[in-house]
PDB file of all heavy atoms in Angstrom:
ATOM      1  N   SER A   5       8.324  -8.570  -4.597  1.00  0.00           N
ATOM      2  CA  SER A   5       8.229  -7.136  -4.258  1.00  0.00           C
ATOM      3  C   SER A   5       6.802  -6.589  -4.249  1.00  0.00           C
ATOM      4  O   SER A   5       6.592  -5.381  -4.090  1.00  0.00           O
ATOM      5  CB  SER A   5       9.094  -6.286  -5.191  1.00  0.00           C
ATOM      6  OG  SER A   5      10.453  -6.658  -5.072  1.00  0.00           O
ATOM      7  N   LYS A   6       5.809  -7.446  -4.396  1.00  0.00           N
ATOM      8  CA  LYS A   6       4.422  -7.031  -4.272  1.00  0.00           C
ATOM      9  C   LYS A   6       3.827  -7.688  -3.031  1.00  0.00           C
ATOM     10  O   LYS A   6       3.922  -8.902  -2.852  1.00  0.00           O
ATOM     11  CB  LYS A   6       3.615  -7.421  -5.512  1.00  0.00           C
ATOM     12  CG  LYS A   6       2.167  -6.946  -5.463  1.00  0.00           C
ATOM     13  CD  LYS A   6       1.428  -7.280  -6.745  1.00  0.00           C
ATOM     14  CE  LYS A   6      -0.008  -6.770  -6.681  1.00  0.00           C
ATOM     15  NZ  LYS A   6      -0.761  -7.072  -7.929  1.00  0.00           N
ATOM     16  N   LEU A   7       3.222  -6.874  -2.157  1.00  0.00           N
ATOM     17  CA  LEU A   7       2.688  -7.383  -0.900  1.00  0.00           C
ATOM     18  C   LEU A   7       1.241  -7.833  -1.057  1.00  0.00           C
ATOM     19  O   LEU A   7       0.451  -7.200  -1.757  1.00  0.00           O
ATOM     20  CB  LEU A   7       2.771  -6.309   0.187  1.00  0.00           C
ATOM     21  CG  LEU A   7       4.168  -5.777   0.524  1.00  0.00           C
ATOM     22  CD1 LEU A   7       4.074  -4.727   1.624  1.00  0.00           C
ATOM     23  CD2 LEU A   7       5.110  -6.905   0.929  1.00  0.00           C
ATOM     24  N   LYS A   8       0.913  -8.939  -0.403  1.00  0.00           N
ATOM     25  CA  LYS A   8      -0.470  -9.391  -0.360  1.00  0.00           C
ATOM     26  C   LYS A   8      -0.736 -10.091   0.960  1.00  0.00           C
ATOM     27  O   LYS A   8       0.189 -10.522   1.655  1.00  0.00           O
ATOM     28  CB  LYS A   8      -0.800 -10.305  -1.539  1.00  0.00           C
ATOM     29  CG  LYS A   8      -0.194 -11.688  -1.471  1.00  0.00           C
ATOM     30  CD  LYS A   8      -0.720 -12.546  -2.633  1.00  0.00           C
ATOM     31  CE  LYS A   8      -0.267 -13.992  -2.512  1.00  0.00           C
ATOM     32  NZ  LYS A   8      -0.819 -14.840  -3.598  1.00  0.00           N
ATOM     33  N   TYR A   9      -2.025 -10.192   1.314  1.00  0.00           N
ATOM     34  CA  TYR A   9      -2.431 -10.810   2.574  1.00  0.00           C
ATOM     35  C   TYR A   9      -2.806 -12.272   2.350  1.00  0.00           C
ATOM     36  O   TYR A   9      -3.224 -12.667   1.265  1.00  0.00           O
ATOM     37  CB  TYR A   9      -3.654 -10.102   3.156  1.00  0.00           C
ATOM     38  CG  TYR A   9      -3.511  -8.621   3.373  1.00  0.00           C
ATOM     39  CD1 TYR A   9      -4.280  -7.725   2.639  1.00  0.00           C
ATOM     40  CD2 TYR A   9      -2.636  -8.111   4.338  1.00  0.00           C
ATOM     41  CE1 TYR A   9      -4.179  -6.355   2.840  1.00  0.00           C
ATOM     42  CE2 TYR A   9      -2.533  -6.744   4.553  1.00  0.00           C
ATOM     43  CZ  TYR A   9      -3.300  -5.872   3.801  1.00  0.00           C
ATOM     44  OH  TYR A   9      -3.200  -4.523   4.004  1.00  0.00           O
ATOM     45  N   GLU A  10      -2.694 -13.041   3.446  1.00  0.00           N
ATOM     46  CA  GLU A  10      -3.122 -14.439   3.402  1.00  0.00           C
ATOM     47  C   GLU A  10      -3.453 -14.898   4.810  1.00  0.00           C
ATOM     48  O   GLU A  10      -2.798 -14.500   5.781  1.00  0.00           O
ATOM     49  CB  GLU A  10      -2.008 -15.310   2.813  1.00  0.00           C
ATOM     50  CG  GLU A  10      -2.364 -16.786   2.700  1.00  0.00           C
ATOM     51  CD  GLU A  10      -1.230 -17.610   2.102  1.00  0.00           C
ATOM     52  OE1 GLU A  10      -0.207 -17.812   2.795  1.00  0.00           O
ATOM     53  OE2 GLU A  10      -1.371 -18.042   0.948  1.00  0.00           O
ATOM     54  N   ILE A  11      -4.457 -15.738   4.922  1.00  0.00           N
ATOM     55  CA  ILE A  11      -4.774 -16.428   6.176  1.00  0.00           C
ATOM     56  C   ILE A  11      -4.621 -17.913   5.910  1.00  0.00           C
ATOM     57  O   ILE A  11      -5.252 -18.463   5.011  1.00  0.00           O
ATOM     58  CB  ILE A  11      -6.193 -16.096   6.662  1.00  0.00           C
ATOM     59  CG1 ILE A  11      -6.276 -14.629   7.097  1.00  0.00           C
ATOM     60  CG2 ILE A  11      -6.611 -17.008   7.816  1.00  0.00           C
ATOM     61  CD1 ILE A  11      -7.666 -14.174   7.519  1.00  0.00           C
ATOM     62  N   ALA A  12      -3.744 -18.559   6.683  1.00  0.00           N
ATOM     63  CA  ALA A  12      -3.429 -19.966   6.429  1.00  0.00           C
ATOM     64  C   ALA A  12      -2.877 -20.604   7.692  1.00  0.00           C
ATOM     65  O   ALA A  12      -2.520 -19.910   8.657  1.00  0.00           O
ATOM     66  CB  ALA A  12      -2.414 -20.091   5.293  1.00  0.00           C
ATOM     67  N   GLN A  13      -2.787 -21.918   7.701  1.00  0.00           N
ATOM     68  CA  GLN A  13      -2.154 -22.617   8.805  1.00  0.00           C
ATOM     69  C   GLN A  13      -0.640 -22.376   8.760  1.00  0.00           C
ATOM     70  O   GLN A  13      -0.060 -22.167   7.689  1.00  0.00           O
ATOM     71  CB  GLN A  13      -2.453 -24.120   8.753  1.00  0.00           C
ATOM     72  CG  GLN A  13      -3.849 -24.477   9.228  1.00  0.00           C
ATOM     73  CD  GLN A  13      -4.933 -24.013   8.265  1.00  0.00           C
ATOM     74  OE1 GLN A  13      -4.985 -24.411   7.108  1.00  0.00           O
ATOM     75  NE2 GLN A  13      -5.802 -23.134   8.741  1.00  0.00           N
ATOM     76  N   HIS A  14      -0.012 -22.414   9.921  1.00  0.00           N
ATOM     77  CA  HIS A  14       1.396 -22.046  10.032  1.00  0.00           C
ATOM     78  C   HIS A  14       2.293 -22.864   9.117  1.00  0.00           C
ATOM     79  O   HIS A  14       3.250 -22.326   8.540  1.00  0.00           O
ATOM     80  CB  HIS A  14       1.867 -22.199  11.477  1.00  0.00           C
ATOM     81  CG  HIS A  14       3.318 -21.876  11.673  1.00  0.00           C
ATOM     82  ND1 HIS A  14       3.807 -20.587  11.658  1.00  0.00           N
ATOM     83  CD2 HIS A  14       4.397 -22.691  11.853  1.00  0.00           C
ATOM     84  CE1 HIS A  14       5.114 -20.611  11.827  1.00  0.00           C
ATOM     85  NE2 HIS A  14       5.499 -21.870  11.952  1.00  0.00           N
ATOM     86  N   ASP A  15       2.013 -24.150   8.978  1.00  0.00           N
ATOM     87  CA  ASP A  15       2.870 -25.012   8.161  1.00  0.00           C
ATOM     88  C   ASP A  15       2.543 -24.958   6.669  1.00  0.00           C
ATOM     89  O   ASP A  15       3.208 -25.621   5.862  1.00  0.00           O
ATOM     90  CB  ASP A  15       2.773 -26.466   8.647  1.00  0.00           C
ATOM     91  CG  ASP A  15       3.429 -26.667  10.006  1.00  0.00           C
ATOM     92  OD1 ASP A  15       4.226 -25.800  10.412  1.00  0.00           O
ATOM     93  OD2 ASP A  15       3.142 -27.693  10.657  1.00  0.00           O
ATOM     94  N   SER A  16       1.527 -24.183   6.304  1.00  0.00           N
ATOM     95  CA  SER A  16       1.153 -24.102   4.893  1.00  0.00           C
ATOM     96  C   SER A  16       2.243 -23.394   4.096  1.00  0.00           C
ATOM     97  O   SER A  16       2.756 -22.354   4.506  1.00  0.00           O
ATOM     98  CB  SER A  16      -0.160 -23.338   4.722  1.00  0.00           C
ATOM     99  OG  SER A  16      -1.213 -24.016   5.367  1.00  0.00           O
ATOM    100  N   LYS A  17       2.577 -23.955   2.953  1.00  0.00           N
ATOM    101  CA  LYS A  17       3.595 -23.357   2.103  1.00  0.00           C
ATOM    102  C   LYS A  17       3.020 -22.145   1.373  1.00  0.00           C
ATOM    103  O   LYS A  17       1.834 -22.093   1.062  1.00  0.00           O
ATOM    104  CB  LYS A  17       4.110 -24.381   1.086  1.00  0.00           C
ATOM    105  CG  LYS A  17       4.867 -25.547   1.727  1.00  0.00           C
ATOM    106  CD  LYS A  17       5.395 -26.508   0.660  1.00  0.00           C
ATOM    107  CE  LYS A  17       6.171 -27.646   1.296  1.00  0.00           C
ATOM    108  NZ  LYS A  17       6.701 -28.591   0.282  1.00  0.00           N
ATOM    109  N   VAL A  18       3.884 -21.182   1.090  1.00  0.00           N
ATOM    110  CA  VAL A  18       3.455 -20.001   0.354  1.00  0.00           C
ATOM    111  C   VAL A  18       3.656 -20.235  -1.139  1.00  0.00           C
ATOM    112  O   VAL A  18       4.365 -21.159  -1.553  1.00  0.00           O
ATOM    113  CB  VAL A  18       4.237 -18.752   0.805  1.00  0.00           C
ATOM    114  CG1 VAL A  18       3.978 -18.474   2.270  1.00  0.00           C
ATOM    115  CG2 VAL A  18       5.733 -18.921   0.550  1.00  0.00           C
ATOM    116  N   ASP A  19       3.025 -19.395  -1.949  1.00  0.00           N
ATOM    117  CA  ASP A  19       3.133 -19.535  -3.395  1.00  0.00           C
ATOM    118  C   ASP A  19       4.561 -19.298  -3.872  1.00  0.00           C
ATOM    119  O   ASP A  19       5.366 -18.644  -3.196  1.00  0.00           O
ATOM    120  CB  ASP A  19       2.196 -18.540  -4.097  1.00  0.00           C
ATOM    121  CG  ASP A  19       0.735 -18.875  -3.889  1.00  0.00           C
ATOM    122  OD1 ASP A  19       0.443 -20.034  -3.549  1.00  0.00           O
ATOM    123  OD2 ASP A  19      -0.113 -17.973  -4.059  1.00  0.00           O
ATOM    124  N   PHE A  20       4.841 -19.795  -5.038  1.00  0.00           N
ATOM    125  CA  PHE A  20       6.158 -19.618  -5.652  1.00  0.00           C
ATOM    126  C   PHE A  20       6.467 -18.124  -5.792  1.00  0.00           C
ATOM    127  O   PHE A  20       5.610 -17.331  -6.153  1.00  0.00           O
ATOM    128  CB  PHE A  20       6.183 -20.293  -7.028  1.00  0.00           C
ATOM    129  CG  PHE A  20       7.490 -20.198  -7.736  1.00  0.00           C
ATOM    130  CD1 PHE A  20       8.620 -20.829  -7.235  1.00  0.00           C
ATOM    131  CD2 PHE A  20       7.599 -19.476  -8.915  1.00  0.00           C
ATOM    132  CE1 PHE A  20       9.837 -20.744  -7.894  1.00  0.00           C
ATOM    133  CE2 PHE A  20       8.796 -19.385  -9.586  1.00  0.00           C
ATOM    134  CZ  PHE A  20       9.925 -20.016  -9.079  1.00  0.00           C
ATOM    135  N   LEU A  21       7.699 -17.750  -5.480  1.00  0.00           N
ATOM    136  CA  LEU A  21       8.191 -16.371  -5.506  1.00  0.00           C
ATOM    137  C   LEU A  21       7.665 -15.523  -4.350  1.00  0.00           C
ATOM    138  O   LEU A  21       7.883 -14.306  -4.316  1.00  0.00           O
ATOM    139  CB  LEU A  21       7.870 -15.673  -6.835  1.00  0.00           C
ATOM    140  CG  LEU A  21       8.571 -16.223  -8.086  1.00  0.00           C
ATOM    141  CD1 LEU A  21       8.155 -15.413  -9.312  1.00  0.00           C
ATOM    142  CD2 LEU A  21      10.086 -16.198  -7.928  1.00  0.00           C
ATOM    143  N   CYS A  22       6.976 -16.151  -3.400  1.00  0.00           N
ATOM    144  CA  CYS A  22       6.475 -15.430  -2.227  1.00  0.00           C
ATOM    145  C   CYS A  22       7.235 -15.855  -0.972  1.00  0.00           C
ATOM    146  O   CYS A  22       7.725 -16.985  -0.875  1.00  0.00           O
ATOM    147  CB  CYS A  22       4.987 -15.700  -2.017  1.00  0.00           C
ATOM    148  SG  CYS A  22       3.912 -15.053  -3.303  1.00  0.00           S
ATOM    149  N   SER A  23       7.290 -14.956  -0.008  1.00  0.00           N
ATOM    150  CA  SER A  23       7.866 -15.263   1.302  1.00  0.00           C
ATOM    151  C   SER A  23       7.050 -14.540   2.362  1.00  0.00           C
ATOM    152  O   SER A  23       6.391 -13.526   2.082  1.00  0.00           O
ATOM    153  CB  SER A  23       9.333 -14.832   1.378  1.00  0.00           C
ATOM    154  OG  SER A  23       9.458 -13.432   1.174  1.00  0.00           O
ATOM    155  N   VAL A  24       7.073 -15.055   3.590  1.00  0.00           N
ATOM    156  CA  VAL A  24       6.324 -14.438   4.686  1.00  0.00           C
ATOM    157  C   VAL A  24       7.135 -13.272   5.238  1.00  0.00           C
ATOM    158  O   VAL A  24       8.204 -13.451   5.803  1.00  0.00           O
ATOM    159  CB  VAL A  24       6.030 -15.463   5.798  1.00  0.00           C
ATOM    160  CG1 VAL A  24       5.300 -14.774   6.951  1.00  0.00           C
ATOM    161  CG2 VAL A  24       5.196 -16.623   5.264  1.00  0.00           C
ATOM    162  N   LYS A  25       6.603 -12.068   5.060  1.00  0.00           N
ATOM    163  CA  LYS A  25       7.280 -10.873   5.565  1.00  0.00           C
ATOM    164  C   LYS A  25       6.880 -10.597   7.014  1.00  0.00           C
ATOM    165  O   LYS A  25       7.715 -10.326   7.857  1.00  0.00           O
ATOM    166  CB  LYS A  25       6.947  -9.664   4.692  1.00  0.00           C
ATOM    167  CG  LYS A  25       7.698  -8.391   5.077  1.00  0.00           C
ATOM    168  CD  LYS A  25       7.441  -7.281   4.083  1.00  0.00           C
ATOM    169  CE  LYS A  25       8.178  -5.997   4.464  1.00  0.00           C
ATOM    170  NZ  LYS A  25       9.661  -6.189   4.422  1.00  0.00           N
ATOM    171  N   HIS A  26       5.575 -10.641   7.286  1.00  0.00           N
ATOM    172  CA  HIS A  26       5.053 -10.457   8.644  1.00  0.00           C
ATOM    173  C   HIS A  26       3.940 -11.483   8.877  1.00  0.00           C
ATOM    174  O   HIS A  26       3.197 -11.813   7.954  1.00  0.00           O
ATOM    175  CB  HIS A  26       4.453  -9.061   8.840  1.00  0.00           C
ATOM    176  CG  HIS A  26       5.341  -7.925   8.461  1.00  0.00           C
ATOM    177  ND1 HIS A  26       6.505  -7.640   9.125  1.00  0.00           N
ATOM    178  CD2 HIS A  26       5.214  -6.996   7.477  1.00  0.00           C
ATOM    179  CE1 HIS A  26       7.066  -6.569   8.578  1.00  0.00           C
ATOM    180  NE2 HIS A  26       6.311  -6.171   7.571  1.00  0.00           N
ATOM    181  N   SER A  27       3.810 -11.956  10.108  1.00  0.00           N
ATOM    182  CA  SER A  27       2.682 -12.848  10.414  1.00  0.00           C
ATOM    183  C   SER A  27       2.434 -12.887  11.916  1.00  0.00           C
ATOM    184  O   SER A  27       3.337 -12.645  12.724  1.00  0.00           O
ATOM    185  CB  SER A  27       2.935 -14.271   9.895  1.00  0.00           C
ATOM    186  OG  SER A  27       3.966 -14.898  10.620  1.00  0.00           O
ATOM    187  N   ALA A  28       1.194 -13.199  12.262  1.00  0.00           N
ATOM    188  CA  ALA A  28       0.815 -13.406  13.659  1.00  0.00           C
ATOM    189  C   ALA A  28      -0.153 -14.573  13.719  1.00  0.00           C
ATOM    190  O   ALA A  28      -1.155 -14.607  13.000  1.00  0.00           O
ATOM    191  CB  ALA A  28       0.180 -12.160  14.259  1.00  0.00           C
ATOM    192  N   GLN A  29       0.147 -15.518  14.584  1.00  0.00           N
ATOM    193  CA  GLN A  29      -0.670 -16.721  14.727  1.00  0.00           C
ATOM    194  C   GLN A  29      -1.698 -16.528  15.831  1.00  0.00           C
ATOM    195  O   GLN A  29      -1.462 -15.805  16.807  1.00  0.00           O
ATOM    196  CB  GLN A  29       0.229 -17.912  15.044  1.00  0.00           C
ATOM    197  CG  GLN A  29      -0.439 -19.265  14.968  1.00  0.00           C
ATOM    198  CD  GLN A  29       0.511 -20.376  15.365  1.00  0.00           C
ATOM    199  OE1 GLN A  29       1.280 -20.240  16.307  1.00  0.00           O
ATOM    200  NE2 GLN A  29       0.472 -21.475  14.631  1.00  0.00           N
ATOM    201  N   GLY A  30      -2.822 -17.141  15.659  1.00  0.00           N
ATOM    202  CA  GLY A  30      -3.866 -17.118  16.676  1.00  0.00           C
ATOM    203  C   GLY A  30      -4.705 -18.366  16.538  1.00  0.00           C
ATOM    204  O   GLY A  30      -4.285 -19.459  16.874  1.00  0.00           O
ATOM    205  N   GLY A  31      -5.907 -18.179  15.998  1.00  0.00           N
ATOM    206  CA  GLY A  31      -6.793 -19.301  15.785  1.00  0.00           C
ATOM    207  C   GLY A  31      -7.992 -19.264  16.720  1.00  0.00           C
ATOM    208  O   GLY A  31      -8.014 -18.520  17.699  1.00  0.00           O
ATOM    209  N   PRO A  32      -9.010 -20.043  16.370  1.00  0.00           N
ATOM    210  CA  PRO A  32      -9.047 -20.947  15.233  1.00  0.00           C
ATOM    211  C   PRO A  32      -9.383 -20.235  13.927  1.00  0.00           C
ATOM    212  O   PRO A  32      -9.841 -19.099  13.933  1.00  0.00           O
ATOM    213  CB  PRO A  32     -10.181 -21.903  15.600  1.00  0.00           C
ATOM    214  CG  PRO A  32     -11.123 -21.043  16.392  1.00  0.00           C
ATOM    215  CD  PRO A  32     -10.239 -20.131  17.196  1.00  0.00           C
ATOM    216  N   GLN A  33      -9.144 -20.928  12.813  1.00  0.00           N
ATOM    217  CA  GLN A  33      -9.661 -20.465  11.534  1.00  0.00           C
ATOM    218  C   GLN A  33     -11.180 -20.482  11.599  1.00  0.00           C
ATOM    219  O   GLN A  33     -11.786 -21.426  12.110  1.00  0.00           O
ATOM    220  CB  GLN A  33      -9.179 -21.387  10.409  1.00  0.00           C
ATOM    221  CG  GLN A  33      -9.766 -21.047   9.050  1.00  0.00           C
ATOM    222  CD  GLN A  33      -9.320 -22.014   7.975  1.00  0.00           C
ATOM    223  OE1 GLN A  33      -8.176 -21.988   7.542  1.00  0.00           O
ATOM    224  NE2 GLN A  33     -10.227 -22.895   7.549  1.00  0.00           N
ATOM    225  N   LEU A  34     -11.803 -19.415  11.091  1.00  0.00           N
ATOM    226  CA  LEU A  34     -13.264 -19.313  11.063  1.00  0.00           C
ATOM    227  C   LEU A  34     -13.825 -19.605   9.684  1.00  0.00           C
ATOM    228  O   LEU A  34     -14.823 -20.302   9.536  1.00  0.00           O
ATOM    229  CB  LEU A  34     -13.690 -17.908  11.509  1.00  0.00           C
ATOM    230  CG  LEU A  34     -13.192 -17.436  12.874  1.00  0.00           C
ATOM    231  CD1 LEU A  34     -13.622 -15.996  13.122  1.00  0.00           C
ATOM    232  CD2 LEU A  34     -13.679 -18.348  13.985  1.00  0.00           C
ATOM    233  N   LEU A  35     -13.195 -19.021   8.674  1.00  0.00           N
ATOM    234  CA  LEU A  35     -13.596 -19.206   7.278  1.00  0.00           C
ATOM    235  C   LEU A  35     -12.372 -19.511   6.436  1.00  0.00           C
ATOM    236  O   LEU A  35     -11.271 -19.025   6.752  1.00  0.00           O
ATOM    237  CB  LEU A  35     -14.264 -17.927   6.731  1.00  0.00           C
ATOM    238  CG  LEU A  35     -15.571 -17.471   7.377  1.00  0.00           C
ATOM    239  CD1 LEU A  35     -15.973 -16.101   6.826  1.00  0.00           C
ATOM    240  CD2 LEU A  35     -16.687 -18.482   7.160  1.00  0.00           C
ATOM    241  N   PRO A  36     -12.490 -20.337   5.406  1.00  0.00           N
ATOM    242  CA  PRO A  36     -13.736 -20.906   4.872  1.00  0.00           C
ATOM    243  C   PRO A  36     -14.319 -22.045   5.697  1.00  0.00           C
ATOM    244  O   PRO A  36     -15.491 -22.386   5.521  1.00  0.00           O
ATOM    245  CB  PRO A  36     -13.314 -21.405   3.495  1.00  0.00           C
ATOM    246  CG  PRO A  36     -11.860 -21.700   3.624  1.00  0.00           C
ATOM    247  CD  PRO A  36     -11.331 -20.675   4.563  1.00  0.00           C
ATOM    248  N   ASN A  37     -13.512 -22.633   6.593  1.00  0.00           N
ATOM    249  CA  ASN A  37     -14.008 -23.720   7.440  1.00  0.00           C
ATOM    250  C   ASN A  37     -13.570 -23.483   8.873  1.00  0.00           C
ATOM    251  O   ASN A  37     -12.445 -23.037   9.129  1.00  0.00           O
ATOM    252  CB  ASN A  37     -13.468 -25.073   6.956  1.00  0.00           C
ATOM    253  CG  ASN A  37     -13.853 -25.391   5.526  1.00  0.00           C
ATOM    254  OD1 ASN A  37     -15.030 -25.446   5.194  1.00  0.00           O
ATOM    255  ND2 ASN A  37     -12.855 -25.571   4.672  1.00  0.00           N
ATOM    256  N   LEU A  38     -14.442 -23.783   9.806  1.00  0.00           N
ATOM    257  CA  LEU A  38     -14.123 -23.676  11.220  1.00  0.00           C
ATOM    258  C   LEU A  38     -13.272 -24.867  11.642  1.00  0.00           C
ATOM    259  O   LEU A  38     -13.653 -26.013  11.421  1.00  0.00           O
ATOM    260  CB  LEU A  38     -15.420 -23.626  12.033  1.00  0.00           C
ATOM    261  CG  LEU A  38     -15.311 -23.312  13.524  1.00  0.00           C
ATOM    262  CD1 LEU A  38     -14.614 -21.979  13.759  1.00  0.00           C
ATOM    263  CD2 LEU A  38     -16.704 -23.288  14.151  1.00  0.00           C
ATOM    264  N   ARG A  39     -12.101 -24.592  12.243  1.00  0.00           N
ATOM    265  CA  ARG A  39     -11.140 -25.643  12.571  1.00  0.00           C
ATOM    266  C   ARG A  39     -10.929 -25.721  14.098  1.00  0.00           C
ATOM    267  O   ARG A  39      -9.868 -25.365  14.603  1.00  0.00           O
ATOM    268  CB  ARG A  39      -9.803 -25.368  11.874  1.00  0.00           C
ATOM    269  CG  ARG A  39      -9.856 -25.539  10.360  1.00  0.00           C
ATOM    270  CD  ARG A  39      -8.553 -25.092   9.719  1.00  0.00           C
ATOM    271  NE  ARG A  39      -7.382 -25.688  10.341  1.00  0.00           N
ATOM    272  CZ  ARG A  39      -6.857 -26.863   9.989  1.00  0.00           C
ATOM    273  NH1 ARG A  39      -7.413 -27.578   9.018  1.00  0.00           N
ATOM    274  NH2 ARG A  39      -5.781 -27.316  10.602  1.00  0.00           N
ATOM    275  N   LEU A  40     -11.934 -26.175  14.803  1.00  0.00           N
ATOM    276  CA  LEU A  40     -11.842 -26.245  16.259  1.00  0.00           C
ATOM    277  C   LEU A  40     -11.054 -27.458  16.732  1.00  0.00           C
ATOM    278  O   LEU A  40     -10.132 -27.329  17.556  1.00  0.00           O
ATOM    279  CB  LEU A  40     -13.245 -26.259  16.862  1.00  0.00           C
ATOM    280  CG  LEU A  40     -14.039 -24.956  16.758  1.00  0.00           C
ATOM    281  CD1 LEU A  40     -15.430 -25.152  17.343  1.00  0.00           C
ATOM    282  CD2 LEU A  40     -13.316 -23.813  17.448  1.00  0.00           C
TER     283      LEU A  40
END
């Protein structure tokens, strides 16, 4: 019941007791590492 933001790869698992409420995919990741 507490909302927080995250930037991660689509297949990345979320933390325990968390679920994805909203998300939008794009890419590439810029930080912490560029994933071209």
Side-chain angles (χ1 to χ4, degrees):
S5 299
K6 183 177 181 180
L7 300 180
K8 73 174 187 177
Y9 304 114
E10 181 180 72
I11 292 177
Q13 283 70 61
H14 178 74
D15 290 343
S16 297
K17 294 182 179 180
V18 298
D19 292 340
F20 181 66
L21 294 181
C22 294
S23 60
V24 178
K25 185 174 179 64
H26 308 294
S27 69
Q29 191 183 41
Q33 175 183 287
L34 304 176
L35 297 173
N37 301 302
L38 189 57
R39 291 173 51 88
L40 290 177

